[in-house]
Amino acid sequence: MERYCSVTLDYGSKSLVFKSEAGINLHKALLLNHSGISSPCGGKGTCGKCKVVVSGELSPPTEIEKSKLTRQELDAGVRLACQAVLTGDVKIRIKDEKSAFIQIDGLPYKVGISPVSQRIQIHLPGTSLTNCPDDVKRLRDGLQRDHLKISRSLMAKISNLLNEREQDILATVTEDELADINIFAEQTPDYGFAVDIGTTTIVGYLVNLITGEIEDTVSELNEQAAFGADVLSRISYGKENAEGNRVLHDKIVSQLGHMLKKTVERKGLAKDAICGISVAGNTIMMHFLMGLNPFRISVAPFTPVFTSSYFCRGEEIGLAYHPRCPVYILPSIAGYVGADIVAGMLVCSLLDPTRTQLLVDIGTNGEMALSREGAVLCCSVAAGPAFEGAGIRWGVGGIDGAIDSVDLKDGTLKIHTLSDKKPIGICGSGLLDAVSIMVQNGIIDEGGRFAEPCEWSPEAAGLWDRMQEINGEKVFVLTGPGCLPEETIFLCQQDIREVQLAKAAVHAGITTLLNNQGTTPEQVDAVWLAGGFGNKLRKESAVNIGLLPKELAPKIRFAGNTSGVGAVMALLSKDCRDKCDIIKTKARYLELSALAGFNDTFIESIGFEA
Ligand code: FES
């Protein structure tokens, strides 16, 4: 007989209780009860990030937990949720990571307005025995569009809404379809919702379709993160669990609906005022949104189901909150160069034939595109999760308390944390700064190994006491003296290796694009860094560690959330939607794993240059 346990979740400010079957691990119990926690490896026991503090009845710590957790953590009741199996009632303390820093802003945009869809007010004359056209004809005549498509489900609505008397109607119309009709009540502006679905975060922009202005933004962590931090973990969750892909699809669509509802209510709008949605994101997120199985993108030859732009209505993707709303999905280029990069190319005008430009978006994958004389070459490299905080012993995302910058001034190491909170870990930008300082001052050598203090620069001489041994391992401590052992944040040799692999992948990708386009770094007019990480990093640190070729340093510009701004532009303008299709047609994708010589370029990029 199944036994049930009581699980109490203590979030500090609130608590929640649910019943769960005994014998399953905490990670699964939390997922089943819609209380996902950070689990970058998707519950495989490799990332060590699903830490929870638990009291109550659980299986004893596994070997994996003993290797991932310190003695002090184990003594304090810290467990890995994906390893600890429920044997009785428990109480779990969870750190709320909702206050993450999410990139919302981007480059300013200016477009002509011809939105994905708009509402048109029409007056329908009444019918009589001598003049009785059918309702569909009356609507088409009223809109002066003889061939407008009208779905069966909309005809069902029409059959209940129209009558033989005169009526004023508000029709939501796309380029070729009547998407919805309602009885006209009052004249209010049309709005649209542009969405950037990132693997880590989702940002939605409420856009006034008359003025073109963004009137509200709503941003949240992607709730799919509970199934893995990166797209590959989520694909494997979808493959290994019956209904896994459906669960991931439901998560993304319900979160989209919930975010839309949030902004609609906040602005006091009627739901029907939202007459169009545009969505950009990586190819795998677009597959999950559409309810498609993305598995083949994860194995050679990395084939997506679709990459073209796609129009549908909300109901087709299961958007229960607004089923009749037209939805436009931007085109992608390949399995690992998605609609987010197409949006970025649109925002940064990569098709401009007069300029040579490079767009780089660094996340778990580093995606990049190089344009020259209007021809675009793009590729994607597996940068690994280091810059997103995973795979690094004390790595965290951009959350309160994350060390986001590190400086060495007058021989003193200074750290800064997000929201000036007590340090709880280090995020990508802080990691880059720390490694840059270590490279510049000889604390690590060209091969990435910790050097002997006698080889350090005089500027770093005062940091010798930061080289310590913790749990039998040589580490460089970032937090100041006086920290409790369990709060001492450090970088170990393996962390440096992870950074090396990530930076080498990005550097090699850029070098390969330049070589294949016959372009030198000097010929590049602008380098656009897109995305949350790109926006926070310091140019000097990125160049010092060799993430970007040093000749490009003076040309670096921060472009912000180009995926979000591109989605806004596509929502507003037919010209921009057409440009997205042109970008898709013109961009040539370079599959690096099939390219002779890429491995050599990667290996050449792996060392550090002081
Ligand atoms: S170790 Fe538990 S989710 Fe990664």
Side-chain angles (χ1 to χ4, degrees):
M1 198 178 76
E2 282 169 357
R3 198 160 78 78
Y4 285 88
C5 328
S6 159
V7 179
T8 305
L9 300 182
D10 175 5
Y11 285 93
S13 53
K14 60 175 182 180
S15 65
L16 216 125
V17 185
F18 64 83
K19 290 274 176 215
S20 176
E21 199 184 310
I24 63 172
N25 69 48
L26 278 178
H27 177 250
K28 188 163 183 195
L30 291 167
L31 279 183
L32 290 173
N33 286 280
H34 310 288
S35 306
I37 54 163
S38 170
S39 50
C41 72
K44 290 191 163 55
T46 54
C47 69
K49 299 289 180 193
C50 57
K51 290 179 192 174
V52 286
V53 183
V54 198
S55 53
E57 297 171 50
L58 286 169
S59 58
T62 63
E63 288 308 312
I64 289 178
E65 287 177 284
K66 287 181 193 159
S67 70
K68 298 275 177 209
L69 300 172
T70 62
R71 185 69 262 157
Q72 290 93 336
E73 285 178 318
L74 286 166
D75 290 347
V78 177
R79 299 293 304 267
L80 294 183
C82 68
Q83 300 296 309
V85 174
L86 277 172
T87 56
D89 296 349
V90 292
K91 183 170 180 184
I92 308 174
R93 225 170 66 219
I94 294 178
K95 282 189 204 145
D96 192 347
E97 291 196 355
K98 290 282 178 195
S99 57
F101 284 74
I102 297 173
Q103 184 67 42
I104 291 172
D105 298 331
L107 293 176
Y109 58 92
K110 191 170 172 214
V111 294
I113 294 182
S114 43
V116 161
S117 58
Q118 55 190 317
R119 292 182 303 173
I120 299 173
Q121 186 191 345
I122 49 172
H123 178 78
L124 288 186
T127 55
S128 67
L129 281 175
T130 53
N131 182 17
C132 187
D134 62 64
D135 290 341
V136 165
K137 176 157 176 39
R138 283 202 297 152
L139 284 164
R140 284 183 176 145
D141 287 350
L143 290 162
Q144 299 176 347
R145 305 265 293 271
D146 289 348
H147 301 290
L148 209 56
K149 280 189 265 171
I150 301 181
S151 68
R152 191 218 61 85
S153 73
L154 185 59
M155 279 197 250
K157 182 173 181 183
I158 291 168
S159 67
N160 290 314
L161 205 70
L162 299 190
N163 57 40
E164 66 284 357
R165 290 190 296 275
E166 292 181 23
Q167 286 175 296
D168 284 313
I169 298 295
L170 210 46
T172 305
V173 186
T174 69
E175 270 174 51
D176 62 351
E177 185 180 16
L178 179 60
D180 197 8
I181 66 162
N182 288 290
I183 300 295
F184 176 79
E186 59 171 330
Q187 193 72 52
T188 55
D190 289 352
Y191 283 86
F193 195 51
V195 192
D196 159 36
I197 302 185
T199 309
T200 311
T201 56
I202 304 182
V203 184
Y205 302 82
L206 181 73
V207 184
N208 183 317
L209 298 183
I210 309 299
T211 63
E213 279 168 21
I214 297 170
E215 292 197 2
D216 192 24
T217 55
V218 44
S219 55
E220 293 184 357
L221 294 173
N222 187 331
E223 289 177 3
Q224 281 189 343
F227 302 87
D230 56 77
V231 288
L232 291 180
S233 319
R234 291 182 212 169
I235 290 177
S236 89
Y237 178 86
K239 179 166 165 51
E240 286 160 15
N241 294 276
E243 300 289 300
N245 283 321
R246 190 191 52 73
V247 169
L248 289 163
H249 165 69
D250 289 351
K251 262 277 176 253
I252 205 84
V253 177
S254 67
Q255 189 170 8
L256 177 61
H258 151 83
M259 289 172 70
L260 176 57
K261 183 166 185 266
K262 200 184 212 178
T263 184
V264 161
E265 290 179 354
R266 192 152 68 194
K267 297 297 286 184
L269 302 174
K271 183 178 68 181
D272 294 329
I274 306 296
C275 50
I277 295 173
S278 64
V279 192
N282 65 53
T283 312
I284 291 151
M285 285 300 122
M286 296 302 92
H287 277 54
F288 281 132
L289 177 73
M290 294 271 285
L292 309 176
N293 180 354
F295 177 70
R296 284 188 301 133
I297 302 178
S298 67
V299 289
F302 316 115
T303 314
V305 177
F306 83 112
T307 53
S308 300
S309 55
Y310 191 79
F311 266 105
C312 62
R313 268 173 294 113
E315 62 194 345
E316 200 179 321
I317 57 166
L319 186 63
Y321 175 66
H322 203 359
R324 294 195 186 282
C325 189
V327 178
Y328 167 73
I329 295 173
L330 277 77
S332 306
I333 290 170
Y336 291 101
V337 177
D340 48 350
I341 303 304
V342 171
M345 292 193 226
L346 173 73
V347 174
C348 299
S349 302
L350 252 70
L351 286 185
D352 179 349
T354 64
R355 286 163 66 77
T356 299
Q357 303 186 84
L358 177 68
L359 170 72
V360 184
D361 189 339
I362 304 168
T364 307
N365 282 314
E367 290 124 359
M368 50 204 79
L370 176 68
S371 72
R372 185 181 174 188
E373 293 169 5
V376 182
L377 194 60
C378 55
C379 70
S380 169
V381 294
F387 297 140
E388 312 231 308
I392 300 294
R393 187 74 59 88
W394 278 95
V396 290
I399 56 175
D400 286 351
I403 299 174
D404 66 331
S405 69
V406 183
D407 286 286
L408 178 62
K409 276 208 183 93
D410 304 326
T412 307
L413 197 71
K414 292 208 166 71
I415 58 171
H416 177 266
T417 60
L418 289 172
S419 300
D420 294 316
K421 291 275 170 61
K422 186 170 144 190
I424 56 156
I426 184 162
C427 66
S429 56
L431 188 61
L432 241 62
D433 286 352
V435 175
S436 164
I437 288 169
M438 293 166 86
V439 170
Q440 291 295 295
N441 292 282
I443 300 171
I444 46 181
D445 64 20
E446 280 182 17
R449 280 177 297 274
F450 284 129
E452 291 304 321
C454 58
E455 294 168 34
W456 296 10
S457 74
E459 169 81 349
L463 306 181
W464 287 5
D465 59 345
R466 289 180 180 261
M467 210 66 223
Q468 296 179 12
E469 203 169 293
I470 295 184
N471 294 333
E473 206 180 358
K474 220 170 166 188
V475 302
F476 183 79
V477 173
L478 296 169
T479 37
C483 261
L484 293 172
E486 63 272 24
E487 292 173 350
T488 300
I489 295 170
F490 56 79
L491 293 180
C492 65
Q493 187 66 71
Q494 185 55 33
D495 296 336
I496 308 292
R497 289 274 174 258
E498 295 294 334
V499 173
Q500 256 183 301
L501 294 175
K503 72 101 185 175
V506 174
H507 190 285
I510 294 173
T511 307
T512 305
L513 284 187
L514 289 168
N515 291 344
N516 276 270
Q517 192 82 305
T519 307
T520 63
E522 291 75 14
Q523 287 172 317
V524 175
D525 296 308
V527 179
W528 299 102
L529 287 187
F533 174 61
N535 235 44
K536 276 181 268 154
L537 59 79
R538 277 193 194 146
K539 291 182 204 177
E540 308 74 43
S541 298
V543 172
N544 284 345
I545 70 158
L547 180 70
L548 302 168
K550 54 179 173 301
E551 299 85 347
L552 297 178
K555 299 158 184 186
I556 296 173
R557 312 266 180 283
F558 296 112
N561 186 354
T562 50
S563 178
V565 173
V568 170
M569 290 167 71
L571 174 74
L572 282 169
S573 153
K574 164 128 177 62
D575 182 45
C576 290
R577 293 191 292 282
D578 289 345
K579 275 191 184 144
C580 287
D581 289 335
I582 295 170
I583 289 169
K584 178 184 171 38
T585 318
K586 285 202 162 186
R588 188 160 67 85
Y589 174 66
L590 212 54
E591 177 49 60
L592 298 179
S593 60
L595 205 67
F598 177 72
N599 267 348
D600 295 339
T601 313
F602 175 76
I603 289 164
E604 281 161 22
S605 307
I606 217 156
F608 290 118
E609 255 178 69

